Amino acid sequence: MTPPVGYFWNPALAQRKTGLFCPERPERCTVLEPERVLAEAGVPIRAAGFSTRAEDILAPVHDAEYVAMVRDAHRRRRRYLDAGDTEVTPDVFEQALLAASAGCAALDEILAGRMAAAFCAVRPPGHHANRMRALGFCIFNNTAVAAAYARARHGVERVLVVDWDVHPGNGTQEIFFDDPAVFTLSIHQANLFPEAGRAELIGRGAGEGFNRNVPVAPGTPAETYLGRFAEVLLETAAAFRPELLLIAAGFDAHRSDPASALPLEEAHFGQMTHLAIEATRRFTGGRTLSLLEGGYNLGALGLSVAAHVRGLHDALQR
């Protein structure tokens, strides 16, 4: 019998109050309350909670000085952690560490065989944060923390990160740019972060060839987007042979999202989930961890996450 797919959520992540005009708002947590999403998904998924891990989970991917800066930011009366997107709140450190802890809890279940895969409905997102800097609502890089945890705690040797947020996963890319054990593959709308998402950025040193950016022009038809996604994913998986798949699951490429000029709908995220698992499962055994990144239209976010977890379940039941 195939183990269940997990859905990791903690209501405490709604406590970070980022202001009336910030798209990364508490409702992104509440709209993903498990009973609501899993009823929409219509498949048996195991809801699970998680708690804060010790901050040493951050050490492999974030400099100690940066972690200390985030911890002290409110006391030092900083307003933002970056140029103006990532607001400092009284609980900024605790909330970011809690979000980063979810992937570790989920990996303990997946890599022990108690879950086949899992989705972590967390905020703040993480994929723009690099070793020394917050950016674009991201404080600690939740996906990078999970990749490093899988390697250090569970002995996973090759991790594939597939990032389908509408923006490139620049922070994850930068953290692992020299590292051949983590392949970062980002498909995203072209020219949103133009310097970070260029196709010629392929890694450096020992990591050369282990980073791939796939910028897609605004307005690209969904069928063309999905075809390109499938093509590069199959090529990457066959060459890299990952032991674990991590999905940086941004849903802001949805046609209704204010960040997007792409025509994707919630069903397409379900299709992408199937494609990702089918391309990698002969190497991973289906072991897949997905973590929420962007997605700022609340209605589209809830429906897209439901389609995604349904896709995780259905793909792994085959």
Side-chain angles (χ1 to χ4, degrees), residues 1-4 116 316-318:
M1 181 176 178
T2 303
L316 290 167
Q317 293 302 312
R318 293 184 176 182

Side-chain angles (χ1 to χ4, degrees), residues 23-25 28 137 165-167 189 192 250-266 269 292-302 304:
E24 208 298 283
R25 56 199 190 275
R28 296 186 72 237
F137 313 139
D165 192 276
V166 78
H167 305 92
Q189 183 177 311
L192 286 178
F251 298 98
D252 44 4
H254 193 283
R255 65 185 309 156
S256 299
D257 198 280
S260 177
L262 293 172
L264 301 187
E265 299 181 358
E266 51 269 18
F269 293 108
L292 178 64
E293 294 291 351
Y296 305 103
N297 178 301
L298 297 178
L301 176 61
S304 298

Side-chain angles (χ1 to χ4, degrees), residues 17-37:
K17 310 297 186 186
T18 46
L20 292 175
F21 303 107
C22 181
E24 208 298 283
R25 56 199 190 275
E27 290 80 4
R28 296 186 72 237
C29 176
T30 55
V31 77
L32 297 181
E33 186 270 335
E35 283 76 13
R36 180 186 307 186
V37 173

Side-chain angles (χ1 to χ4, degrees), residues 36-54:
R36 180 186 307 186
V37 173
L38 301 184
E40 176 67 31
V43 291
I45 303 289
R46 179 181 294 173
F50 62 95
S51 57
T52 302
R53 297 292 180 99

Side-chain angles (χ1 to χ4, degrees), residues 61-63 66 126-135 138-141 144 170-175:
V61 300
H62 292 295
D63 285 0
Y66 172 68
H127 73 149
H128 296 316
N130 65 22
R131 290 190 180 276
M132 300 175 290
R133 182 185 177 197
L135 181 66
C138 300
I139 301 169
F140 298 137
N141 194 309
N170 63 292
T172 317
Q173 170 181 279
E174 292 166 21
I175 289 168

Side-chain angles (χ1 to χ4, degrees), residues 127 143-144 147 159-165 167-169 172-173 176 182-188 210-212 214 225 228-230 232-234 236-237 240 242 244-251 269 272-273 275-277 279-280 284 288-293 308:
H127 73 149
T143 300
V159 180
L160 172 61
V161 176
V162 174
D163 189 323
W164 67 47
D165 192 276
H167 305 92
T172 317
Q173 170 181 279
F176 297 116
V182 178
F183 194 114
T184 54
L185 170 61
S186 175
I187 183 167
H188 47 265
F210 294 90
N211 187 82
R212 190 168 186 178
V214 185
Y225 176 100
R228 183 69 175 137
F229 176 74
V232 298
L233 185 55
L234 285 165
T236 299
F240 184 61
L244 175 69
L245 171 63
L246 301 186
I247 301 175
F251 298 98
F269 293 108
M272 291 160 66
T273 306
L275 288 169
I277 290 176
T280 57
T284 64
T288 303
L289 171 64
S290 175
L291 301 105
L292 178 64
E293 294 291 351
H308 174 50

